[in-house]
Amino acid sequence: MPLFLIERNFAEKIELTVDGVTSISKINGEEGVNWLFSFLSADKRKSYCLYEATNPDAIREAARRANVPADVIIEVSQFRPELMLAAAA
């Protein structure tokens, strides 16, 4: 399944709760997207999230339903230097 990096910009500091994560995960599942992990900026106003999804529109719809921004969506591929180095050893 394709991988996507999503940049989200928040007007206020984001405070994640178990209930919030559960709600987002439920919506994502209904839209066929899988949230893998996220990085949160030091000021807690920007996040970068890695998702698996069939297409960017599924991510946009899940974000709309969860009432979270999806300002930039970029399809990416995975590069794991440690695997490359291990194979070369």
Side-chain angles (χ1 to χ4, degrees):
M1 185 170 299
L3 292 172
F4 295 90
L5 182 67
I6 298 96
E7 179 180 324
R8 302 180 193 279
N9 294 287
F10 298 93
E12 305 280 327
K13 281 185 177 182
I14 183 170
E15 298 294 337
L16 296 174
T17 65
V18 171
D19 288 342
V21 170
T22 300
S23 176
I24 290 170
S25 294
K26 181 179 182 289
I27 291 168
N28 286 345
E30 292 169 356
E31 295 298 330
V33 302
N34 184 31
W35 178 15
L36 299 174
F37 63 87
S38 295
F39 294 98
L40 188 59
S41 65
D43 67 0
K44 296 185 178 183
R45 293 184 58 190
K46 184 176 280 203
S47 70
Y48 296 92
C49 305
L50 185 65
Y51 273 72
E52 291 178 320
T54 54
N55 59 63
D57 290 334
I59 295 167
R60 284 187 194 92
E61 181 59 17
R64 184 196 65 74
R65 289 184 55 204
N67 198 31
V68 295
D71 300 303
V72 179
I73 301 173
I74 301 168
E75 187 169 355
V76 297
S77 59
Q78 187 177 54
F79 175 75
R80 307 244 338 242
E82 72 277 11
L83 297 179
M84 182 177 264
L85 294 171

